Amino acid sequence: MTEFPDRLLSGYRNFMSGRYSDERERYRVLAETGQAPHTLIIACCDSRAAPETIFDCGPGELFVVRNIANMVPPYEPDSQFHGTSAALEYAIQVLKIRNIVVMGHGRCGGIQAALDLDMQPLSPGDFIGKWIGLVRPAAEQIQSNDLMTQTERQTALERVSIRNSIANLQTFPFVRSLGESGELAIHGAWFDISTGELWVMNDKGDFVRPDLVETALQAEEVSA
Amino acid sequence: MTEFPDRLLSGYRNFMSGRYSDERERYRVLAETGQAPHTLIIACCDSRAAPETIFDCGPGELFVVRNIANMVPPYEPDSQFHGTSAALEYAIQVLKIRNIVVMGHGRCGGIQAALDLDMQPLSPGDFIGKWIGLVRPAAEQIQSNDLMTQTERQTALERVSIRNSIANLQTFPFVRSLGESGELAIHGAWFDISTGELWVMNDKGDFVRPDLVETALQAEEVSA
Amino acid sequence: MTEFPDRLLSGYRNFMSGRYSDERERYRVLAETGQAPHTLIIACCDSRAAPETIFDCGPGELFVVRNIANMVPPYEPDSQFHGTSAALEYAIQVLKIRNIVVMGHGRCGGIQAALDLDMQPLSPGDFIGKWIGLVRPAAEQIQSNDLMTQTERQTALERVSIRNSIANLQTFPFVRSLGESGELAIHGAWFDISTGELWVMNDKGDFVRPDLVETALQAEEVSA
Amino acid sequence: MTEFPDRLLSGYRNFMSGRYSDERERYRVLAETGQAPHTLIIACCDSRAAPETIFDCGPGELFVVRNIANMVPPYEPDSQFHGTSAALEYAIQVLKIRNIVVMGHGRCGGIQAALDLDMQPLSPGDFIGKWIGLVRPAAEQIQSNDLMTQTERQTALERVSIRNSIANLQTFPFVRSLGESGELAIHGAWFDISTGELWVMNDKGDFVRPDLVETALQAEEVSA
């Protein structure tokens, strides 16, 4: 076994002398009392779309699931897709988290793979192929539109997939009942890694830029 | 659908006026050229153990999988556990990442659940129960050791589980062959959320504090 | 016949005491020497998407065709669609304009009408229905995608239609030959009336935001 | 495909930092609520006769059709001339616009082409020739008057053509009935690009200079 990567050790050293020295007490308390994150976020593994970075969140705030293409499978007690379901169950039933964000992003490799209808398995297990199966029907429909450019189809499927995952969240009985009673809120977001823009889903399912100026004014009023 | 959470929008605003204004060009290039992260890290969903924070990594560096108790299932082409396997396949076969870190942490809720042998299902799907099944045999063995305190059993299983996951990584043929040729390195780490300490696995499987002073000196020599 | 509308007369009075007093000489010379606009722009009749406003252009600069949904029909010498073809012929063959921009915009009523597959004729002549026929096949294909929201379909067709019109431009022999010799350039643009953003078409047919900062730097270099 | 023209990008940048920063909210509201322009104006493509400029109108005010020589064809449900008819139908039947202005101008190239009775087709399609056919009978009659100078014949035909187009407007049943009930007003105007003067049509069909001082006084009385 080789040495632990220098890049990570030096990054850790920066963490300790930088952020951690400000947040030391916070970590200690969180260890003692346990975590009470305000949001469950389902994000992509992509190195360019890290939730803590994008939302400038610190320890204790976000309970984060990251998988290929930020997907939530439908509720199937005997389903293959247990990892994300287990994290969802833990977040809602144990940690009592009441805000869920499904965050996708531009240039998503998983979505690109889904649109590559001739893609060959990358190992005998074809794990990507099976995982992407969650969104393959939608991918086939979108890829059949030859009027759109590949980039337009990619962006379309990234957003369709977020809406899909939100619909799948609502097939979990414990999510649906909390949503119906108004105790749980579900949100969609899409991060443009090229421009840093965040688009959020409105109640029509459309992705729009939030009015950040207005939000700032409201936040100031609340804290005054 | 309620408004997108203010806390996240104001965090995003901080990101845009802060980090992003320094990293703007980096995001733009990463969008254009694609990502080439140096490390795949399998971490826990826990809000107190975020890899980018702990290793002070920026966009493009870490390909991150986060699931309950940072587990890697064994290679089973017909397995239920496709999410993590798909991310692993994508990282190794598509992105050609050649460093893997399995990072666990103290006070892990998933490990705690595994040690709770009488735990009742938290929903009819019992997703946590099934997911934790990956480490249940080890949990039973450790929990039966009545000489250790619960905290010692917790820490022990956290580390056993990391070693388990590393062994499981090596059941994936594409991981094993790259490991054998020396092209791929696998590492284990354990983050103490209470003290901020990072422990890394040595080649005996033990978790030790890396000598950060020595590492700093070596890094300076290399760059001189 | 009623009085000429006051709003227009008072606007004209503003024009005479404002802009015109600065541009008086320019109009006089243009009247004497004739016009030599640098760009033919095909834009929509929409009151929110005026080319001279959006591109801050003055007299003599833009030769402007405005019709419903900024469409260019295919070259058909015996076709019904003579108006836009005549303007194109005049611009290229008489005025020797060598830049063409097809500019669409968001919330386009013509595109919305095209996507309304059950739309009834608004007069026995059904002029809108026939005009929109230029883009109806594309509209049917896009409207059949039930995964996208109506807004997403609208934006998609607005852009497909621009690409369509650009392709139709190239069916005019005098446009095609000048394009092939590199003497004529054709561009696509899409104006977001909600945010004022201009998106321009790249050589993949995708609509992107131009880097206005870079453009400003280049412009300064050229004039230095 | 070459770069989008710098002149247009820098004009757009001026728009964004200038007018748009004052009109931002207006665009946003217009996008949300839709357009309700007060006037449909049929103008010429000519770069020196832009309606928004001449009437100092902003976003949302004018629904603008621009074609060669600002012509309106007669109502023919099976007519070839669908573009302008479609825009007229949209303006009156959909947007419920109740003011129409047909605006011609001096030095009109289309009118000049109409008077050039020996003009050869400028492409096999002879699009200009066919379009100008709308006014060719009048052109032949005027051109045969050898007592007038060419400039006088030009100005005469420009004004005859405006009256022609106004008469053609009234062949559209939906225009005629709204005109008869007094709900719709039609106006003619002629812009002298050499002097900036605006001439408006009175109920005899003559083009006269409006008394702008009187109009200003009346406007002040109304607002007092």
Side-chain angles (χ1 to χ4, degrees), chain C residues 52-170:
Chain C
E52 289 89 357
T53 303
I54 292 165
F55 295 113
D56 191 34
C57 283
E61 296 203 67
L62 300 180
F63 192 75
V64 181
V65 175
R66 289 177 75 176
N67 62 38
I68 295 287
N70 44 278
M71 294 196 293
V72 179
Y75 172 74
E76 283 170 15
D78 301 316
S79 134
Q80 318 175 345
F81 304 108
H82 280 285
T84 299
S85 307
L88 178 64
E89 188 176 81
Y90 192 87
I92 305 302
Q93 303 293 73
V94 178
L95 295 179
K96 313 294 186 188
I97 293 173
R98 296 297 179 248
N99 273 289
I100 306 178
V101 174
V102 178
M103 182 172 84
H105 68 94
R107 325 277 177 139
C108 181
I111 294 299
Q112 185 178 332
L115 289 166
D116 182 2
L117 305 180
D118 299 325
M119 188 181 81
Q120 294 306 304
L122 287 156
S123 81
D126 190 27
F127 297 110
I128 299 171
K130 288 175 192 157
W131 180 251
I132 287 301
L134 280 169
V135 80
R136 202 32 92 87
E140 284 171 356
Q141 205 197 115
I142 284 173
Q143 193 60 21
S144 73
N145 184 323
D146 57 4
L147 296 174
M148 295 169 76
T149 63
Q150 195 58 38
T151 303
E152 287 173 344
R153 287 190 286 261
Q154 169 94 14
T155 302
L157 186 58
E158 282 159 3
R159 292 161 177 200
V160 164
S161 182
I162 294 168
R163 290 193 291 264
N164 242 36
S165 286
I166 288 176
N168 285 345
L169 278 172
Q170 288 156 344

Side-chain angles (χ1 to χ4, degrees), chain C residues 12 35 77 80 89 123 130 196, chain D residues 12 47 77 80 89 123 130 196:
Chain C
Y12 170 68
Q35 58 173 334
Q80 318 175 345
E89 188 176 81
S123 81
K130 288 175 192 157
Chain D
Y12 169 68
S47 62
Q80 316 175 345
E89 186 176 83
S123 82
K130 291 176 190 156

Side-chain angles (χ1 to χ4, degrees), chain C residues 3 7 12 20 30-31 35 47-48 52 60-61 66 77 80 82 89 93 122-123 128 130 195-196, chain D residues 7 12 20 30 35 47-48 52 60-61 66 77 80 89 93 107 122-123 128 130 186-187 195-196 198:
Chain C
E3 295 284 333
R7 171 67 194 91
Y12 170 68
Y20 182 76
L30 283 168
Q35 58 173 334
S47 62
R48 304 161 291 181
E52 289 89 357
E61 296 203 67
R66 289 177 75 176
Q80 318 175 345
H82 280 285
E89 188 176 81
Q93 303 293 73
L122 287 156
S123 81
I128 299 171
K130 288 175 192 157
T195 63
Chain D
R7 171 66 193 92
Y12 169 68
Y20 181 77
L30 283 166
Q35 55 174 335
S47 62
R48 304 161 292 183
E52 288 90 357
E61 298 204 66
R66 289 177 74 176
Q80 316 175 345
E89 186 176 83
Q93 304 292 74
R107 324 284 175 132
L122 286 156
S123 82
I128 299 171
K130 291 176 190 156
I186 300 177
H187 305 278
T195 63
L198 182 75

Side-chain angles (χ1 to χ4, degrees), chain B residues 75-129:
Chain B
Y75 172 74
E76 284 170 15
D78 300 318
S79 137
Q80 316 175 345
F81 304 107
H82 281 284
T84 299
S85 308
L88 177 64
E89 187 176 82
Y90 193 87
I92 305 303
Q93 302 293 74
V94 179
L95 296 179
K96 314 293 187 190
I97 293 173
R98 297 297 179 248
N99 274 289
I100 306 177
V101 174
V102 179
M103 181 171 84
H105 68 96
R107 325 281 175 135
C108 182
I111 295 300
Q112 185 180 331
L115 290 167
D116 181 2
L117 305 180
D118 299 325
M119 187 181 85
Q120 292 306 303
L122 286 156
S123 81
D126 190 28
F127 297 110
I128 299 171

Side-chain angles (χ1 to χ4, degrees), chain B residues 177-204:
Chain B
S177 58
L178 286 166
E180 284 166 359
S181 63
E183 292 172 80
L184 173 76
I186 301 177
H187 306 278
W190 181 89
F191 176 68
D192 183 342
I193 59 175
S194 185
T195 63
E197 285 175 317
L198 182 75
W199 299 62
V200 305
M201 204 177 88
N202 66 16
D203 48 13
K204 295 199 188 69

